[in-house]
Amino acid sequence: MKPLSLERTFSISLFICFIWCLGLSYFTLSNNEQEAARFGHQNSWTKKQVEASGAEASSKHLWGRYEEEVNVLRSKSKMKDDLISRLNSDKLQLEQEVVGLKERLSKKAEKQVKSGPLMHNYEGEFKALKIQMEAEENKTEKMEETIKGLLSNKLQLEQEVAHLKELLVQKAEEHTNKDKINEDKDCPLPPMDGYPECLGKLKWMKEGWTSDPCYIINGVNGSLCSILIYLSEIETWCPRLPGRVIPTASSQRTEAGQAVIRENLQGLSSKLANRIQYKWINQRIFSMEDIWVKAGRSLSAKHDLKGRKAKQILVHPGAVTDEIGIARSAFNGGPLGELVQWSDLVSTLHILGHHLHLSASITDLKIFLGGLKSGCPSMPTLEPNLIYTDILGLQQMQKALPNIWSKYQCKIRILDSFGTEPDFNHVSWAKGHNLSSPYGGLNLIPLQFYTMFPHTPDNTFLGFVVQPHWSDEENKKLESIKRKNQALVYGKRASFWKGKTAYLDTIHKYLDLHGTVDNGALIPSYVTNHGIVKGAEVHALLRESKVFVGLSFPFEGPAPLEALANGCVFLNPRLNPPQSRLNSEFFKEKPNIREVTSQHPYAEAIGEPYVWMVDMDNSTDVERAVKAIINQTIEPYIPYEFTCEGMLQRVNILIEKQDFCNSTTSWPPLSTLQVVTAEVGASCKDTCQKQGLICEPAFFPHLNSAQSLANYGINCQTTEHSGGYLVLPAYDNNSKHCVFQSDPLLFSCVRSHLSWTRVCPCRDYIKDQIALCKACL
């Protein structure tokens, strides 16, 4: 029994090994079938991809792509050869194992017959093995079918390779013909000596000239001539066409001819009409066309305006760009002061005969100044003589054009309503003295900041125009309006009215009150509110009112002067204490420490009978002023510097004479300099003003030496230069020690020192034209 048990154990083990071998072969075959199917799918996709992309690729790139695909297909063919070889080997081995098993089983069967009943239990196992062997033979037949399929697939793959080779040759020939540059009878190809890249650029541009709009902007239209002109004159890849002689880029951009006073505003129509950002500005400009034209004629008759060169001027109001969005609120009670100033500047520049280029976005800036990223070289379309912008616009320029904005730094003029004082403008000084402001640290010459009112001589006064009337028809209507016993309150927002009820109650004892504030605002019930109204309606209300009532805010707007222009007295509230960045949220971020003593300091200087100062918290003071006003009559009044003609005169002189790019030029004329020594602790602004003069910071460099001071009777026994003060040049009268300024950006008219005596450069000025000296015209 023991030998029989060992033989049975051996047979079972042999059967298990047989089943394992068959399973392994089947598993390998299944994986290979899946891999073959995947290769076939990828091959089909790759072929389509090659055919689709071939028409678009360049000739050189196309060859590389097809060769790569062919190599991939060849690699797949080799993999299938290996797979078929492996399967044939497995099949042979399997057949040999099956034969061996048959022989062993046959011997076992014979042995079982001889052994009789003792081997009877093997009959069931033998039948099971026989069934298993038949199943495996079926698998072998399937394997043979798979091998036949792989062989057929390999043949198909080889046919695809041959087809791709033919396609490769065909596409290459097509691209060769396509890339061929045929000479145009009107534009023969010039010799290419010295221009090895020209032919390749021509081929690319034939297909790619529509890929970027900058090519079309530069005159490319798909013709060979236009492409050659671009590649030789805008870029430098090709030789210039015979006979093509063009002026240099600089002369082409700066040649502008003579500036002639214009007789209309027609040239502005196309520049403003389709720009939503300039909508309010456009309306104001054309509502005043007659006034501007008449003012231009009048100024031209009084002064010789011939011989002026027309300047190329870029105007970029950051306030109107979509990134800032002030222009969007202009028709809904938003602040209009800045837009008024921009409107009048644009009109002035046009009437004076200069060439305007209006920007309303950062993209516009990049197009004009050459910072636009595109397929074309970054070339400016404009070489400006002057750039007018505001602080927000300058910050946009610095961010968008970091590598080139400094090129234009000396040509920039910043419209800055409230002014920027030298210490806030100076980066390191402001940082070291905790004078932080989001609008400071620009490191410009302080006179490059153009203010709305002449409140600081360290900056330049630009101003605006007080609009005296509208069209002739509307003006006739205004003239027919009779003055009533009423007052119009200066305040479009409900917040301006808060806490002013007692003040308004006092005025209401003597006058009917009207307002132009949002209808939803909480205002006294006795106020007749007209809601937010347009300019002509405001002028009509001013014409029928005796008083324009200030509420202490907004500060320094154009409306009080418009009231005076309509014969309406302005009630100007004092500010006690004076407001500045030290105690006012409104001025907190302004780059100055100027103290505002009333709602409107410029109007304060005009004085009675046009402007009456009041203490809003003192009803007696308010009654005194109101009683005096209702018993007087005034004629409409506009300071000359706020008329169209006054602004034309002022801006024309500034354009012609004020130059920050040339250090050798001097303006105003040095002959107008009057040197005045200040009292200890006094500023040059106040010192000059007491003498009926104005401090002129352009003269500071002339006084900044011991030799210069000696000419004005100041004896400096010892001297030093310092960049640590804003009151220089100055001296100590006891020690005769003089200190001079080492940093020209720190010259200041408005600062004072408790120990030193300031040496102040003063000049005269034309009455009602404070920006100009008498010899400046």
Side-chain angles (χ1 to χ4, degrees):
M1 291 298 294
K2 187 174 182 180
L4 292 175
S5 178
L6 289 174
E7 186 176 2
R8 182 178 181 181
T9 301
F10 172 76
S11 298
I12 292 173
S13 299
L14 182 62
F15 173 74
I16 291 171
C17 291
F18 172 71
I19 295 301
W20 180 83
C21 290
L22 289 175
L24 179 62
S25 299
Y26 179 77
F27 176 76
T28 304
L29 177 61
S30 298
N31 285 343
N32 288 336
E33 286 175 342
Q34 292 174 4
E35 186 176 8
R38 181 171 59 87
F39 283 153
H41 173 73
Q42 288 184 344
N43 172 54
S44 174
W45 178 86
T46 305
K47 175 183 174 184
K48 292 178 182 179
Q49 184 189 43
V50 170
E51 290 176 345
S53 63
E56 299 177 358
S58 65
S59 180
K60 181 178 178 181
H61 181 61
L62 186 67
W63 275 105
R65 287 287 303 275
Y66 275 110
E67 287 177 353
E68 180 182 346
E69 295 297 339
V70 169
N71 289 335
V72 169
L73 290 172
R74 285 172 175 166
S75 175
K76 291 179 180 179
S77 179
K78 185 176 183 306
M79 291 174 64
K80 290 190 175 184
D81 286 341
D82 294 341
L83 179 59
I84 291 169
S85 177
R86 208 162 54 244
L87 286 170
N88 280 324
S89 176
D90 291 343
K91 178 188 173 185
L92 180 60
Q93 182 178 353
L94 184 61
E95 289 173 343
Q96 291 174 348
E97 290 178 353
V98 170
V99 171
L101 282 171
K102 285 181 178 180
E103 292 177 353
R104 291 190 186 94
L105 286 172
S106 178
K107 290 180 180 180
K108 285 183 177 290
E110 291 176 358
K111 190 174 183 179
Q112 183 182 12
V113 173
K114 293 178 181 180
S115 300
L118 294 177
M119 297 296 294
H120 179 73
N121 292 336
Y122 283 100
E123 288 182 3
E125 293 178 8
F126 180 78
K127 289 179 180 179
L129 284 174
K130 186 175 180 180
I131 293 170
Q132 185 65 39
M133 286 178 63
E134 290 175 353
E136 292 304 326
E137 286 175 351
N138 291 334
K139 287 183 181 180
T140 302
E141 291 176 359
K142 290 182 179 180
M143 186 183 292
E144 289 176 349
E145 292 176 0
T146 300
I147 291 172
K148 290 179 181 179
L150 286 172
L151 289 171
S152 175
N153 190 265
K154 176 187 176 185
L155 179 61
Q156 182 182 357
L157 191 61
E158 289 172 345
Q159 291 173 347
E160 289 179 359
V161 171
H163 174 68
L164 281 174
K165 285 180 179 180
E166 293 176 2
L167 187 62
L168 174 62
V169 174
Q170 179 183 348
K171 295 294 183 181
E173 289 176 353
E174 289 177 3
H175 274 261
T176 300
N177 295 330
K178 191 176 182 179
D179 288 342
K180 186 177 180 181
I181 300 294
N182 296 317
E183 291 191 345
D184 191 318
K185 63 179 181 179
D186 298 321
C187 193
L189 289 173
M192 299 293 180
D193 297 340
Y195 295 89
E197 301 291 334
C198 181
L199 192 58
K201 293 292 182 180
L202 284 171
K203 291 176 180 178
W204 185 90
M205 282 288 283
K206 275 194 69 179
E207 297 299 319
W209 68 277
T210 59
S211 63
D212 195 296
C214 70
Y215 298 122
I216 300 173
I217 292 172
N218 282 287
V220 179
N221 58 19
S223 68
L224 178 61
C225 266
S226 68
I227 294 172
L228 271 171
I229 290 170
Y230 175 85
L231 290 175
S232 61
E233 296 176 11
I234 305 301
E235 299 191 37
T236 57
W237 297 106
C238 295
R240 185 169 295 174
L241 290 172
R244 287 280 301 180
V245 178
I246 60 173
T248 61
S250 59
S251 64
Q252 189 179 32
R253 295 190 187 110
T254 58
E255 185 60 37
Q258 298 297 308
V260 178
I261 296 295
R262 291 191 172 99
E263 290 289 320
N264 54 63
L265 298 179
Q266 290 178 1
L268 282 176
S269 300
S270 59
K271 297 177 181 178
L272 292 169
N274 297 322
R275 288 176 175 261
I276 188 65
Q277 299 93 336
Y278 282 90
K279 184 177 180 180
W280 192 94
I281 291 174
N282 185 39
Q283 289 185 8
R284 176 176 169 88
I285 287 174
F286 284 92
S287 71
M288 296 172 62
E289 181 171 11
D290 291 343
I291 312 173
W292 282 112
V293 171
K294 291 176 183 177
R297 291 172 184 166
S298 176
L299 184 68
S300 183
K302 295 176 183 178
H303 303 281
D304 182 11
L305 300 179
K306 297 178 181 178
R308 300 174 300 121
K309 289 185 177 180
K311 303 290 196 299
Q312 299 286 356
I313 298 177
L314 174 60
V315 176
H316 177 73
V320 309
T321 60
D322 292 334
E323 290 82 2
I324 307 302
I326 291 178
R328 290 196 296 267
S329 63
F331 296 95
N332 301 308
L336 299 179
E338 291 177 326
L339 298 183
V340 165
Q341 194 176 29
W342 279 112
S343 303
D344 298 341
L345 174 63
V346 169
S347 300
T348 298
L349 297 173
H350 176 79
I351 291 293
L352 288 174
H354 298 292
H355 301 294
L356 296 188
H357 307 271
L358 303 181
S359 168
S361 66
I362 295 174
T363 300
D364 287 345
L365 264 184
K366 291 179 177 180
I367 291 174
F368 283 127
L369 300 181
L372 192 64
K373 293 183 178 179
S374 69
C376 299
S378 180
M379 298 179 67
T381 60
L382 172 69
E383 189 62 43
N385 301 108
L386 286 171
I387 299 174
Y388 289 91
T389 186
D390 48 25
I391 293 177
L392 296 172
L394 180 65
Q395 290 173 342
Q396 290 174 342
M397 189 182 302
Q398 290 174 323
K399 184 176 181 180
L401 308 170
N403 298 323
I404 64 174
W405 86 269
S406 58
K407 169 186 175 182
Y408 306 103
Q409 185 169 339
C410 66
K411 300 178 181 181
I412 290 172
R413 308 292 184 265
I414 305 293
L415 272 65
D416 180 17
S417 298
F418 296 95
T420 297
E421 293 174 346
D423 37 358
F424 287 85
N425 171 64
H426 196 288
V427 174
S428 59
W429 179 281
K431 185 177 181 180
H433 293 79
N434 195 28
L435 299 177
S436 60
S437 168
Y439 309 110
L442 298 178
N443 259 21
L444 298 173
I445 296 170
L447 285 170
Q448 289 180 259
F449 295 94
Y450 278 32
T451 58
M452 182 168 280
F453 290 96
H455 40 57
T456 174
D458 285 320
N459 302 150
T460 298
F461 168 52
L462 173 65
F464 60 95
V465 170
V466 175
Q467 186 174 356
H469 61 263
W470 297 74
S471 67
D472 291 338
E473 182 180 349
E474 288 172 330
N475 192 46
K476 289 179 182 179
K477 292 180 181 179
L478 291 173
E479 289 176 350
S480 66
I481 296 174
K482 293 183 179 180
R483 197 80 58 183
K484 299 178 182 178
N485 199 43
Q486 72 179 39
L488 180 64
V489 180
Y490 180 22
K492 292 185 295 184
R493 297 182 181 178
S495 58
F496 300 167
W497 296 63
K498 289 182 179 179
K500 310 297 192 310
T501 302
Y503 169 56
L504 295 173
D505 287 345
T506 302
I507 299 173
H508 180 54
K509 292 179 182 179
Y510 304 93
L511 297 165
D512 293 330
L513 291 183
H514 292 250
T516 55
V517 65
D518 189 331
N519 286 317
L522 295 175
I523 59 177
S525 59
Y526 51 75
V527 176
T528 301
N529 187 20
H530 300 265
I532 302 297
V533 297
K534 295 181 179 180
E537 297 173 75
V538 173
H539 281 253
L541 286 170
L542 289 171
R543 283 292 177 101
E544 66 182 18
S545 301
K546 288 188 175 181
V547 185
F548 190 50
V549 179
L551 295 173
S552 76
F553 192 85
F555 301 121
E556 299 183 310
L561 295 187
E562 291 179 351
L564 300 184
N566 284 286
C568 185
V569 173
F570 177 51
L571 206 59
N572 189 17
R574 296 187 185 92
L575 300 178
N576 189 19
Q579 298 293 289
S580 70
R581 76 190 318 263
L582 301 178
N583 61 0
S584 168
E585 283 297 319
F586 178 82
F587 287 111
K588 187 176 181 180
E589 293 186 335
K590 300 292 187 292
N592 61 67
I593 55 174
R594 178 170 65 93
E595 292 186 334
V596 178
T597 55
S598 68
Q599 181 174 353
H600 207 288
Y602 182 87
E604 180 180 347
I606 294 174
E608 300 175 4
Y610 300 100
V611 179
W612 291 74
M613 305 298 297
V614 294
D615 180 355
M616 290 189 302
D617 297 325
N618 187 331
S619 60
T620 302
D621 188 40
V622 175
E623 286 193 50
R624 173 195 63 82
V626 173
K627 287 179 181 179
I629 291 169
I630 61 177
N631 291 321
Q632 72 174 27
T633 301
I634 64 169
E635 293 297 321
Y637 169 69
I638 307 175
Y640 179 75
E641 57 198 354
F642 286 99
T643 65
C644 288
E645 184 178 320
M647 187 164 183
L648 285 169
Q649 181 189 66
R650 179 171 62 255
V651 173
N652 180 61
I653 295 295
L654 292 173
I655 290 175
E656 296 299 310
K657 303 296 184 181
Q658 195 179 54
D659 187 355
F660 301 114
C661 298
N662 189 349
S663 60
T664 62
T665 60
S666 177
W667 187 85
L670 199 56
S671 60
T672 64
L673 170 63
Q674 298 183 43
V675 178
V676 181
T677 56
E679 296 179 0
V680 173
S683 71
C684 284
K685 175 186 176 182
D686 294 338
T687 298
C688 294
Q689 190 171 328
K690 285 182 180 179
Q691 300 296 320
L693 304 170
I694 184 172
C695 178
E696 179 50 67
F699 291 149
F700 272 121
H702 178 72
L703 298 178
N704 200 43
S705 70
Q707 183 178 357
S708 294
L709 294 189
N711 294 332
Y712 299 99
I714 300 173
N715 181 19
C716 299
Q717 295 184 0
T718 58
T719 64
E720 68 171 297
H721 282 75
S722 173
Y725 302 93
L726 290 106
V727 295
L728 307 179
Y731 68 94
D732 185 324
N733 195 40
N734 295 324
S735 64
K736 307 299 181 184
H737 179 68
C738 297
V739 186
F740 300 103
Q741 185 60 260
S742 62
D743 191 332
L745 291 185
L746 292 178
F747 286 124
S748 171
C749 287
V750 298
R751 295 290 176 260
S752 59
H753 197 278
L754 295 176
S755 302
W756 291 342
T757 298
R758 296 205 60 181
V759 182
C760 299
C762 306
R763 64 162 172 86
D764 60 20
Y765 58 90
I766 301 171
K767 185 180 183 301
D768 285 346
Q769 188 67 294
I770 197 170
L772 304 179
C773 61
K774 294 177 181 179
C776 289
L777 299 180

